Amino acid sequence: MLFDTERHESLTTTLWNNNILEKAIISIIDDIELSLLPNASWPTHPLDAESYSRVGPKWSAYAGAAGTIHSLQILRSYGYKLRDLSHLLEVVHSSFKKSPDVSVEPGLQIGEIGILVPRLLAEPDNKQVSQYLLECMEKTVDLPLYEITSGQSRMMHAALALYRKTGDICWKNVYIKGAKSLMDNWKKDAETGEWHWQSQVFGPKRHYYGACHGITGNASILLQGVDLLPSSYSEVIINRTISTLNLSVKREANLTNWILCTKPNIDKLLIQWCHGAAGIVTAMALTPKNNSKNSKLLDELLESTGELVWQAGPLVKGSNICHGTSGNGYAFLYLYKRSGNSLWLDRARKFAIHAVEQCQKDRLYYRQGRYTLWTGDAGLAIYLHHCLYPEEAAIPGLNLF
């Protein structure tokens, strides 16, 4: 088997209905607004409390107030009626520095960058925030991480987004510095012929494959900004990545997946955004298409990997983006945007209906919502919107700011 059946559940039989999604989005927004605490945070969900040893409010972009406020910024830009809480990000940042909910790092998902980016988006003329953010970005360049949560590649997502929005050369320059760090530390394994980064994000040195900590996540952000890099980089990045994926792929009939990491091997076969099939699809679906052999091979891998995401079914862990049904649903939306095949949109929408039901069940069970971008309802609301308007589909806090 290319996946653990106990991690997945049967898809709902409820049929697609726009009204279900529209009502769920409004319900999530209302719950977020009503549940805001006086200290500019939200009640910590029991599942998020279990993930951290530290007790207290959560501030970071991944599972804290910064991500929730950023989600509201995005939803407001789509026309939903809600309060702009961007002014609270100054308090969130100060609170994080006084009592961080995660290790003190400059990273985007976990750390100061994820708090400062949405603040700068709300205050584009704030030179003090801009300079401090740039300094935080610079600090990631030489870290031995080479991944998305705290390393160079996530910083590069933010820097590239800010450069595209503002044209300010400082964001381009720090993106290029991050790219150089990635390219300089991308090594070929003499035994396997695979190209990997040796990430130390969790302490031990490991070679990951997935979108969050591995080769596909890093390659994706390099390719998204390849117009800013030397002209030779595009072919090198594509060739190394697709070669590595082809060498390491696990196949069963017309389905494909990859283990968690190698050196040392962790041979779990997961289907989530953070690890395994779903995230590999979303990362690599942004690769430019052409008539080359590698491009055709990539499309074949993406199709068979997307099929595995569908056959496995929704994740038991819930409706969230990082390791839940929304994140897997984004694989279908990205395949729809890449191929134009409406089959993938239909599947994304079926996962959306299922995710709404998961969210509703969890609210009843835990007697509260889950007020986070990556692990909870705020991110879900954006996914639901993208299922209604698939041309806008992009993972928030990663491909969308």
PDB file of all heavy atoms in Angstrom, residues 125-154:
ATOM      1  N   ASP A 125       3.902  51.578   4.046  1.00  0.00           N
ATOM      2  CA  ASP A 125       4.820  52.717   4.171  1.00  0.00           C
ATOM      3  C   ASP A 125       5.585  52.729   5.494  1.00  0.00           C
ATOM      4  O   ASP A 125       6.304  53.693   5.784  1.00  0.00           O
ATOM      5  CB  ASP A 125       4.045  54.036   4.018  1.00  0.00           C
ATOM      6  CG  ASP A 125       3.412  54.171   2.647  1.00  0.00           C
ATOM      7  OD1 ASP A 125       4.038  53.716   1.658  1.00  0.00           O
ATOM      8  OD2 ASP A 125       2.285  54.700   2.560  1.00  0.00           O
ATOM      9  N   ASN A 126       5.437  51.677   6.291  1.00  0.00           N
ATOM     10  CA  ASN A 126       6.099  51.616   7.591  1.00  0.00           C
ATOM     11  C   ASN A 126       7.545  51.165   7.396  1.00  0.00           C
ATOM     12  O   ASN A 126       7.834  49.978   7.286  1.00  0.00           O
ATOM     13  CB  ASN A 126       5.359  50.649   8.526  1.00  0.00           C
ATOM     14  CG  ASN A 126       5.827  50.767   9.968  1.00  0.00           C
ATOM     15  OD1 ASN A 126       7.010  50.957  10.231  1.00  0.00           O
ATOM     16  ND2 ASN A 126       4.896  50.628  10.901  1.00  0.00           N
ATOM     17  N   LYS A 127       8.456  52.112   7.334  1.00  0.00           N
ATOM     18  CA  LYS A 127       9.869  51.834   7.054  1.00  0.00           C
ATOM     19  C   LYS A 127      10.522  51.032   8.174  1.00  0.00           C
ATOM     20  O   LYS A 127      11.400  50.208   7.926  1.00  0.00           O
ATOM     21  CB  LYS A 127      10.630  53.147   6.842  1.00  0.00           C
ATOM     22  CG  LYS A 127      10.113  53.991   5.684  1.00  0.00           C
ATOM     23  CD  LYS A 127      10.205  53.238   4.365  1.00  0.00           C
ATOM     24  CE  LYS A 127       9.736  54.097   3.201  1.00  0.00           C
ATOM     25  NZ  LYS A 127       9.713  53.334   1.922  1.00  0.00           N
ATOM     26  N   GLN A 128      10.097  51.266   9.402  1.00  0.00           N
ATOM     27  CA  GLN A 128      10.677  50.547  10.532  1.00  0.00           C
ATOM     28  C   GLN A 128      10.349  49.055  10.442  1.00  0.00           C
ATOM     29  O   GLN A 128      11.234  48.206  10.618  1.00  0.00           O
ATOM     30  CB  GLN A 128      10.150  51.128  11.848  1.00  0.00           C
ATOM     31  CG  GLN A 128      10.792  50.512  13.086  1.00  0.00           C
ATOM     32  CD  GLN A 128      10.298  51.157  14.370  1.00  0.00           C
ATOM     33  OE1 GLN A 128       9.511  52.094  14.358  1.00  0.00           O
ATOM     34  NE2 GLN A 128      10.775  50.661  15.506  1.00  0.00           N
ATOM     35  N   VAL A 129       9.094  48.729  10.152  1.00  0.00           N
ATOM     36  CA  VAL A 129       8.696  47.327  10.003  1.00  0.00           C
ATOM     37  C   VAL A 129       9.397  46.705   8.800  1.00  0.00           C
ATOM     38  O   VAL A 129       9.891  45.571   8.866  1.00  0.00           O
ATOM     39  CB  VAL A 129       7.166  47.203   9.855  1.00  0.00           C
ATOM     40  CG1 VAL A 129       6.766  45.781   9.477  1.00  0.00           C
ATOM     41  CG2 VAL A 129       6.481  47.617  11.148  1.00  0.00           C
ATOM     42  N   SER A 130       9.475  47.463   7.712  1.00  0.00           N
ATOM     43  CA  SER A 130      10.128  46.964   6.505  1.00  0.00           C
ATOM     44  C   SER A 130      11.591  46.612   6.763  1.00  0.00           C
ATOM     45  O   SER A 130      12.070  45.549   6.358  1.00  0.00           O
ATOM     46  CB  SER A 130      10.028  48.020   5.397  1.00  0.00           C
ATOM     47  OG  SER A 130      10.681  47.582   4.231  1.00  0.00           O
ATOM     48  N   GLN A 131      12.300  47.494   7.456  1.00  0.00           N
ATOM     49  CA  GLN A 131      13.720  47.255   7.726  1.00  0.00           C
ATOM     50  C   GLN A 131      13.920  46.076   8.678  1.00  0.00           C
ATOM     51  O   GLN A 131      14.814  45.246   8.475  1.00  0.00           O
ATOM     52  CB  GLN A 131      14.356  48.518   8.331  1.00  0.00           C
ATOM     53  CG  GLN A 131      15.852  48.411   8.590  1.00  0.00           C
ATOM     54  CD  GLN A 131      16.663  48.092   7.348  1.00  0.00           C
ATOM     55  OE1 GLN A 131      16.373  48.605   6.259  1.00  0.00           O
ATOM     56  NE2 GLN A 131      17.673  47.242   7.493  1.00  0.00           N
ATOM     57  N   TYR A 132      13.085  45.997   9.691  1.00  0.00           N
ATOM     58  CA  TYR A 132      13.203  44.897  10.651  1.00  0.00           C
ATOM     59  C   TYR A 132      12.900  43.561   9.969  1.00  0.00           C
ATOM     60  O   TYR A 132      13.581  42.554  10.212  1.00  0.00           O
ATOM     61  CB  TYR A 132      12.253  45.125  11.823  1.00  0.00           C
ATOM     62  CG  TYR A 132      12.459  44.160  12.975  1.00  0.00           C
ATOM     63  CD1 TYR A 132      13.435  44.395  13.935  1.00  0.00           C
ATOM     64  CD2 TYR A 132      11.671  43.022  13.086  1.00  0.00           C
ATOM     65  CE1 TYR A 132      13.621  43.502  14.988  1.00  0.00           C
ATOM     66  CE2 TYR A 132      11.853  42.131  14.129  1.00  0.00           C
ATOM     67  CZ  TYR A 132      12.830  42.374  15.082  1.00  0.00           C
ATOM     68  OH  TYR A 132      13.026  41.476  16.110  1.00  0.00           O
ATOM     69  N   LEU A 133      11.881  43.551   9.105  1.00  0.00           N
ATOM     70  CA  LEU A 133      11.529  42.344   8.358  1.00  0.00           C
ATOM     71  C   LEU A 133      12.684  41.921   7.461  1.00  0.00           C
ATOM     72  O   LEU A 133      13.030  40.730   7.392  1.00  0.00           O
ATOM     73  CB  LEU A 133      10.274  42.599   7.526  1.00  0.00           C
ATOM     74  CG  LEU A 133       9.878  41.515   6.518  1.00  0.00           C
ATOM     75  CD1 LEU A 133       9.679  40.171   7.201  1.00  0.00           C
ATOM     76  CD2 LEU A 133       8.615  41.926   5.768  1.00  0.00           C
ATOM     77  N   LEU A 134      13.299  42.881   6.798  1.00  0.00           N
ATOM     78  CA  LEU A 134      14.427  42.568   5.923  1.00  0.00           C
ATOM     79  C   LEU A 134      15.578  41.954   6.719  1.00  0.00           C
ATOM     80  O   LEU A 134      16.209  40.988   6.279  1.00  0.00           O
ATOM     81  CB  LEU A 134      14.895  43.837   5.202  1.00  0.00           C
ATOM     82  CG  LEU A 134      16.011  43.664   4.169  1.00  0.00           C
ATOM     83  CD1 LEU A 134      15.587  42.709   3.055  1.00  0.00           C
ATOM     84  CD2 LEU A 134      16.408  45.024   3.596  1.00  0.00           C
ATOM     85  N   GLU A 135      15.828  42.481   7.906  1.00  0.00           N
ATOM     86  CA  GLU A 135      16.884  41.925   8.763  1.00  0.00           C
ATOM     87  C   GLU A 135      16.560  40.487   9.162  1.00  0.00           C
ATOM     88  O   GLU A 135      17.449  39.629   9.192  1.00  0.00           O
ATOM     89  CB  GLU A 135      17.054  42.801  10.005  1.00  0.00           C
ATOM     90  CG  GLU A 135      17.654  44.175   9.705  1.00  0.00           C
ATOM     91  CD  GLU A 135      17.604  45.112  10.894  1.00  0.00           C
ATOM     92  OE1 GLU A 135      17.180  44.668  11.992  1.00  0.00           O
ATOM     93  OE2 GLU A 135      17.957  46.295  10.746  1.00  0.00           O
ATOM     94  N   CYS A 136      15.289  40.216   9.473  1.00  0.00           N
ATOM     95  CA  CYS A 136      14.884  38.845   9.814  1.00  0.00           C
ATOM     96  C   CYS A 136      15.089  37.911   8.623  1.00  0.00           C
ATOM     97  O   CYS A 136      15.537  36.771   8.784  1.00  0.00           O
ATOM     98  CB  CYS A 136      13.426  38.823  10.250  1.00  0.00           C
ATOM     99  SG  CYS A 136      13.116  39.537  11.880  1.00  0.00           S
ATOM    100  N   MET A 137      14.745  38.384   7.453  1.00  0.00           N
ATOM    101  CA  MET A 137      14.931  37.571   6.254  1.00  0.00           C
ATOM    102  C   MET A 137      16.398  37.245   6.027  1.00  0.00           C
ATOM    103  O   MET A 137      16.762  36.112   5.688  1.00  0.00           O
ATOM    104  CB  MET A 137      14.344  38.292   5.035  1.00  0.00           C
ATOM    105  CG  MET A 137      12.824  38.338   5.012  1.00  0.00           C
ATOM    106  SD  MET A 137      12.216  39.154   3.502  1.00  0.00           S
ATOM    107  CE  MET A 137      10.469  38.759   3.597  1.00  0.00           C
ATOM    108  N   GLU A 138      17.243  38.250   6.213  1.00  0.00           N
ATOM    109  CA  GLU A 138      18.689  38.049   6.023  1.00  0.00           C
ATOM    110  C   GLU A 138      19.214  36.965   6.967  1.00  0.00           C
ATOM    111  O   GLU A 138      20.114  36.202   6.611  1.00  0.00           O
ATOM    112  CB  GLU A 138      19.439  39.365   6.271  1.00  0.00           C
ATOM    113  CG  GLU A 138      19.128  40.484   5.299  1.00  0.00           C
ATOM    114  CD  GLU A 138      20.024  40.471   4.072  1.00  0.00           C
ATOM    115  OE1 GLU A 138      20.821  39.532   3.940  1.00  0.00           O
ATOM    116  OE2 GLU A 138      19.913  41.402   3.245  1.00  0.00           O
ATOM    117  N   LYS A 139      18.647  36.884   8.154  1.00  0.00           N
ATOM    118  CA  LYS A 139      19.119  35.914   9.147  1.00  0.00           C
ATOM    119  C   LYS A 139      18.833  34.466   8.744  1.00  0.00           C
ATOM    120  O   LYS A 139      19.465  33.553   9.278  1.00  0.00           O
ATOM    121  CB  LYS A 139      18.481  36.201  10.507  1.00  0.00           C
ATOM    122  CG  LYS A 139      18.988  37.473  11.170  1.00  0.00           C
ATOM    123  CD  LYS A 139      18.243  37.727  12.476  1.00  0.00           C
ATOM    124  CE  LYS A 139      18.678  39.036  13.121  1.00  0.00           C
ATOM    125  NZ  LYS A 139      17.904  39.312  14.356  1.00  0.00           N
ATOM    126  N   THR A 140      17.892  34.255   7.842  1.00  0.00           N
ATOM    127  CA  THR A 140      17.582  32.879   7.447  1.00  0.00           C
ATOM    128  C   THR A 140      18.559  32.324   6.406  1.00  0.00           C
ATOM    129  O   THR A 140      18.627  31.107   6.212  1.00  0.00           O
ATOM    130  CB  THR A 140      16.163  32.769   6.846  1.00  0.00           C
ATOM    131  OG1 THR A 140      16.129  33.415   5.565  1.00  0.00           O
ATOM    132  CG2 THR A 140      15.133  33.383   7.764  1.00  0.00           C
ATOM    133  N   VAL A 141      19.294  33.204   5.739  1.00  0.00           N
ATOM    134  CA  VAL A 141      20.068  32.810   4.557  1.00  0.00           C
ATOM    135  C   VAL A 141      21.098  31.729   4.868  1.00  0.00           C
ATOM    136  O   VAL A 141      21.289  30.790   4.090  1.00  0.00           O
ATOM    137  CB  VAL A 141      20.741  34.043   3.912  1.00  0.00           C
ATOM    138  CG1 VAL A 141      21.717  33.610   2.820  1.00  0.00           C
ATOM    139  CG2 VAL A 141      19.682  34.985   3.349  1.00  0.00           C
ATOM    140  N   ASP A 142      21.759  31.822   6.020  1.00  0.00           N
ATOM    141  CA  ASP A 142      22.839  30.879   6.340  1.00  0.00           C
ATOM    142  C   ASP A 142      22.436  29.788   7.324  1.00  0.00           C
ATOM    143  O   ASP A 142      23.292  29.030   7.789  1.00  0.00           O
ATOM    144  CB  ASP A 142      24.047  31.646   6.896  1.00  0.00           C
ATOM    145  CG  ASP A 142      24.661  32.573   5.855  1.00  0.00           C
ATOM    146  OD1 ASP A 142      24.732  32.169   4.685  1.00  0.00           O
ATOM    147  OD2 ASP A 142      25.060  33.701   6.218  1.00  0.00           O
ATOM    148  N   LEU A 143      21.145  29.693   7.643  1.00  0.00           N
ATOM    149  CA  LEU A 143      20.709  28.641   8.548  1.00  0.00           C
ATOM    150  C   LEU A 143      20.821  27.271   7.867  1.00  0.00           C
ATOM    151  O   LEU A 143      20.574  27.155   6.669  1.00  0.00           O
ATOM    152  CB  LEU A 143      19.255  28.872   8.970  1.00  0.00           C
ATOM    153  CG  LEU A 143      18.958  30.099   9.822  1.00  0.00           C
ATOM    154  CD1 LEU A 143      17.457  30.236  10.050  1.00  0.00           C
ATOM    155  CD2 LEU A 143      19.683  30.028  11.158  1.00  0.00           C
ATOM    156  N   PRO A 144      21.166  26.215   8.612  1.00  0.00           N
ATOM    157  CA  PRO A 144      21.295  24.875   8.017  1.00  0.00           C
ATOM    158  C   PRO A 144      19.944  24.167   7.921  1.00  0.00           C
ATOM    159  O   PRO A 144      19.811  23.004   8.295  1.00  0.00           O
ATOM    160  CB  PRO A 144      22.225  24.166   9.005  1.00  0.00           C
ATOM    161  CG  PRO A 144      21.868  24.758  10.324  1.00  0.00           C
ATOM    162  CD  PRO A 144      21.542  26.220  10.052  1.00  0.00           C
ATOM    163  N   LEU A 145      18.942  24.856   7.409  1.00  0.00           N
ATOM    164  CA  LEU A 145      17.578  24.330   7.439  1.00  0.00           C
ATOM    165  C   LEU A 145      17.081  23.943   6.051  1.00  0.00           C
ATOM    166  O   LEU A 145      16.545  22.862   5.850  1.00  0.00           O
ATOM    167  CB  LEU A 145      16.634  25.349   8.085  1.00  0.00           C
ATOM    168  CG  LEU A 145      17.003  25.764   9.515  1.00  0.00           C
ATOM    169  CD1 LEU A 145      16.018  26.799  10.045  1.00  0.00           C
ATOM    170  CD2 LEU A 145      17.056  24.560  10.442  1.00  0.00           C
ATOM    171  N   TYR A 146      17.145  24.853   5.099  1.00  0.00           N
ATOM    172  CA  TYR A 146      16.795  24.563   3.708  1.00  0.00           C
ATOM    173  C   TYR A 146      15.392  23.966   3.585  1.00  0.00           C
ATOM    174  O   TYR A 146      15.184  22.916   2.999  1.00  0.00           O
ATOM    175  CB  TYR A 146      17.843  23.638   3.065  1.00  0.00           C
ATOM    176  CG  TYR A 146      19.259  24.034   3.407  1.00  0.00           C
ATOM    177  CD1 TYR A 146      20.075  23.199   4.167  1.00  0.00           C
ATOM    178  CD2 TYR A 146      19.769  25.272   3.020  1.00  0.00           C
ATOM    179  CE1 TYR A 146      21.356  23.580   4.517  1.00  0.00           C
ATOM    180  CE2 TYR A 146      21.061  25.662   3.359  1.00  0.00           C
ATOM    181  CZ  TYR A 146      21.853  24.814   4.111  1.00  0.00           C
ATOM    182  OH  TYR A 146      23.131  25.195   4.466  1.00  0.00           O
ATOM    183  N   GLU A 147      14.417  24.662   4.131  1.00  0.00           N
ATOM    184  CA  GLU A 147      13.034  24.203   4.094  1.00  0.00           C
ATOM    185  C   GLU A 147      12.096  25.370   4.366  1.00  0.00           C
ATOM    186  O   GLU A 147      12.542  26.511   4.427  1.00  0.00           O
ATOM    187  CB  GLU A 147      12.819  23.058   5.075  1.00  0.00           C
ATOM    188  CG  GLU A 147      13.191  23.364   6.514  1.00  0.00           C
ATOM    189  CD  GLU A 147      12.104  24.052   7.278  1.00  0.00           C
ATOM    190  OE1 GLU A 147      11.056  23.448   7.515  1.00  0.00           O
ATOM    191  OE2 GLU A 147      12.311  25.224   7.663  1.00  0.00           O
ATOM    192  N   ILE A 148      10.801  25.067   4.553  1.00  0.00           N
ATOM    193  CA  ILE A 148       9.791  26.113   4.535  1.00  0.00           C
ATOM    194  C   ILE A 148       9.437  26.690   5.901  1.00  0.00           C
ATOM    195  O   ILE A 148       9.231  27.890   6.026  1.00  0.00           O
ATOM    196  CB  ILE A 148       8.536  25.600   3.799  1.00  0.00           C
ATOM    197  CG1 ILE A 148       8.757  25.768   2.293  1.00  0.00           C
ATOM    198  CG2 ILE A 148       7.276  26.306   4.227  1.00  0.00           C
ATOM    199  CD1 ILE A 148       7.672  25.220   1.430  1.00  0.00           C
ATOM    200  N   THR A 149       9.360  25.900   6.960  1.00  0.00           N
ATOM    201  CA  THR A 149       8.835  26.442   8.218  1.00  0.00           C
ATOM    202  C   THR A 149       9.703  27.560   8.788  1.00  0.00           C
ATOM    203  O   THR A 149       9.200  28.578   9.246  1.00  0.00           O
ATOM    204  CB  THR A 149       8.685  25.342   9.287  1.00  0.00           C
ATOM    205  OG1 THR A 149       9.938  24.706   9.502  1.00  0.00           O
ATOM    206  CG2 THR A 149       7.660  24.323   8.866  1.00  0.00           C
ATOM    207  N   SER A 150      11.019  27.372   8.768  1.00  0.00           N
ATOM    208  CA  SER A 150      11.925  28.339   9.384  1.00  0.00           C
ATOM    209  C   SER A 150      13.110  28.705   8.502  1.00  0.00           C
ATOM    210  O   SER A 150      13.911  29.547   8.887  1.00  0.00           O
ATOM    211  CB  SER A 150      12.477  27.774  10.702  1.00  0.00           C
ATOM    212  OG  SER A 150      11.437  27.385  11.555  1.00  0.00           O
ATOM    213  N   GLY A 151      13.232  28.065   7.362  1.00  0.00           N
ATOM    214  CA  GLY A 151      14.434  28.213   6.554  1.00  0.00           C
ATOM    215  C   GLY A 151      14.325  29.200   5.407  1.00  0.00           C
ATOM    216  O   GLY A 151      13.428  30.046   5.352  1.00  0.00           O
ATOM    217  N   GLN A 152      15.251  29.054   4.482  1.00  0.00           N
ATOM    218  CA  GLN A 152      15.389  29.979   3.369  1.00  0.00           C
ATOM    219  C   GLN A 152      14.164  29.997   2.446  1.00  0.00           C
ATOM    220  O   GLN A 152      13.721  31.070   2.006  1.00  0.00           O
ATOM    221  CB  GLN A 152      16.628  29.604   2.534  1.00  0.00           C
ATOM    222  CG  GLN A 152      17.943  29.724   3.252  1.00  0.00           C
ATOM    223  CD  GLN A 152      18.270  28.493   4.086  1.00  0.00           C
ATOM    224  OE1 GLN A 152      17.415  27.672   4.405  1.00  0.00           O
ATOM    225  NE2 GLN A 152      19.534  28.367   4.465  1.00  0.00           N
ATOM    226  N   SER A 153      13.627  28.832   2.143  1.00  0.00           N
ATOM    227  CA  SER A 153      12.602  28.779   1.101  1.00  0.00           C
ATOM    228  C   SER A 153      11.320  29.495   1.501  1.00  0.00           C
ATOM    229  O   SER A 153      10.674  30.125   0.661  1.00  0.00           O
ATOM    230  CB  SER A 153      12.318  27.328   0.698  1.00  0.00           C
ATOM    231  OG  SER A 153      12.068  26.509   1.806  1.00  0.00           O
ATOM    232  N   ARG A 154      10.943  29.429   2.782  1.00  0.00           N
ATOM    233  CA  ARG A 154       9.730  30.150   3.184  1.00  0.00           C
ATOM    234  C   ARG A 154       9.978  31.651   3.188  1.00  0.00           C
ATOM    235  O   ARG A 154       9.110  32.432   2.792  1.00  0.00           O
ATOM    236  CB  ARG A 154       9.266  29.671   4.551  1.00  0.00           C
ATOM    237  CG  ARG A 154       7.824  30.083   4.870  1.00  0.00           C
ATOM    238  CD  ARG A 154       6.876  29.612   3.762  1.00  0.00           C
ATOM    239  NE  ARG A 154       5.494  29.951   4.054  1.00  0.00           N
ATOM    240  CZ  ARG A 154       4.693  29.182   4.779  1.00  0.00           C
ATOM    241  NH1 ARG A 154       5.142  28.065   5.295  1.00  0.00           N
ATOM    242  NH2 ARG A 154       3.450  29.535   4.976  1.00  0.00           N
TER     243      ARG A 154
END
